[in-house]
Amino acid sequence: MIVYGKQLFLHLLKHHKDKLEEIYLAKEVNKDIFHQIAKVGLKIQKVDNQKAQALARGGNHQGFLAKVKDYEFTTLSEIKKADYLVILYGLSDVGNIGAIVRTAYALGAGGVVIVGKNENLAIQGIIRSSSGAAYELPIALCSDGLGLINELRQVGFKIYAANAGGKSVKDFKFDPKSVIIMGSEGEGIPNKVLQKCDEILGVNMRKDWDSLNVSVAFGILFDRIING
């Protein structure tokens, strides 16, 4: 799996050297960064921009690319041991998923579960858009969202869903054993899932606007869940 971009590359270099398998540079780097790269002990392959563009499939590589080990997802049994969980129900946009993962990690979530048909999940894009936070926060995959909700409730979690017209977060006091479900922007959260939730939460709008980007809405709601 190829990852690219200076920020992600340097994050892996600093925190996850064991994930790196091959290193490609398409630009000259300063001595400090080159010294850090050399300390990993892998051969540094210098490539031209055409080769770098091919490796990055046209993405903005900024001259920094690496082949990394396959991403290891967390099991649901491990996820259930954590506090303050996030369920992404039917989301497919890697930019939104990555942004949510980054925010969830920054605010103190214990884990993320991506529910849906995940056979073709573009984990490279999620890692990149999360700025590497996907390596810091446990992420699990699940195809049976309703079953997952039942399992989480059995181990003491209270289930909240984000949906238009939901109640204000200020009306609740959240226990660490809380789950927030975010749905896709196109279809939202299915009604059969909403019916299984303990409460429906929403973001109150003061202007004439009816929705927010899902990652923005998540950031607002989750900050209030964690910090009050």
Side-chain angles (χ1 to χ4, degrees):
M1 182 171 70
I2 299 294
V3 297
Y4 56 85
K6 183 177 181 180
Q7 184 177 1
L8 175 56
F9 181 94
L10 294 179
H11 181 83
L12 290 170
L13 189 66
K14 182 176 180 180
H15 299 287
H16 298 283
K17 296 181 181 67
D18 60 311
K19 306 293 185 187
L20 299 169
E21 293 185 328
E22 296 178 7
I23 291 173
Y24 306 93
L25 295 179
K27 63 181 292 184
E28 294 297 323
V29 300
N30 67 48
K31 291 181 179 179
D32 287 341
I33 293 177
F34 190 85
H35 180 64
Q36 293 176 46
I37 296 172
K39 285 173 64 177
V40 177
L42 296 174
K43 179 182 178 182
I44 301 172
Q45 303 182 53
K46 294 190 175 182
V47 297
D48 60 25
N49 189 59
Q50 183 176 1
K51 173 67 173 179
Q53 284 293 98
L55 289 169
R57 298 183 179 180
N60 182 18
H61 55 78
Q62 299 174 300
F64 296 85
L65 307 97
K67 180 181 179 183
V68 299
K69 296 177 181 177
D70 288 342
Y71 185 82
E72 296 181 5
F73 289 96
T74 302
T75 64
L76 291 176
S77 60
E78 285 298 313
I79 283 283
K80 287 189 288 186
K81 297 175 184 177
D83 294 333
Y84 293 116
L85 299 181
V86 183
I87 295 177
L88 305 183
Y89 210 107
L91 270 72
S92 58
D93 185 284
V94 296
N96 282 333
I97 296 174
I100 290 173
V101 168
R102 184 171 69 248
T103 302
Y105 175 66
L107 292 177
V112 172
V113 183
I114 302 173
V115 175
K117 298 178 180 179
N118 297 307
E119 296 86 356
N120 299 314
L121 186 69
I123 187 60
Q124 296 100 319
I126 294 171
I127 291 170
R128 188 169 61 254
S129 58
S130 76
S131 299
Y135 282 109
E136 312 305 330
L137 185 66
I139 300 175
L141 302 178
C142 179
S143 58
D144 180 10
L146 294 176
L148 172 64
I149 291 171
N150 289 334
E151 289 182 37
L152 291 172
R153 183 172 280 116
Q154 288 171 7
V155 294
F157 282 93
K158 194 160 186 177
I159 314 297
Y160 301 91
N163 203 50
K167 298 178 182 178
S168 171
V169 181
K170 296 178 181 179
D171 296 336
F172 302 94
K173 184 175 181 180
F174 297 91
D175 184 89
K177 289 296 181 184
S178 295
V179 178
I180 178 71
I181 302 176
M182 306 300 297
S184 67
E185 286 189 89
E187 300 178 3
I189 301 172
N191 285 330
K192 59 184 178 181
V193 175
L194 292 175
Q195 292 168 8
K196 280 187 167 288
C197 294
D198 295 294
E199 297 287 353
I200 310 299
L201 307 177
V203 178
N204 295 329
M205 306 282 188
R206 292 185 180 274
K207 302 294 184 179
D208 184 21
W209 205 256
D210 61 355
S211 67
L212 295 171
N213 173 275
V214 64
S215 66
V216 173
F218 169 76
I220 294 170
L221 290 171
F222 198 66
D223 177 66
R224 292 175 181 172
I225 289 171
I226 291 284
N227 298 315

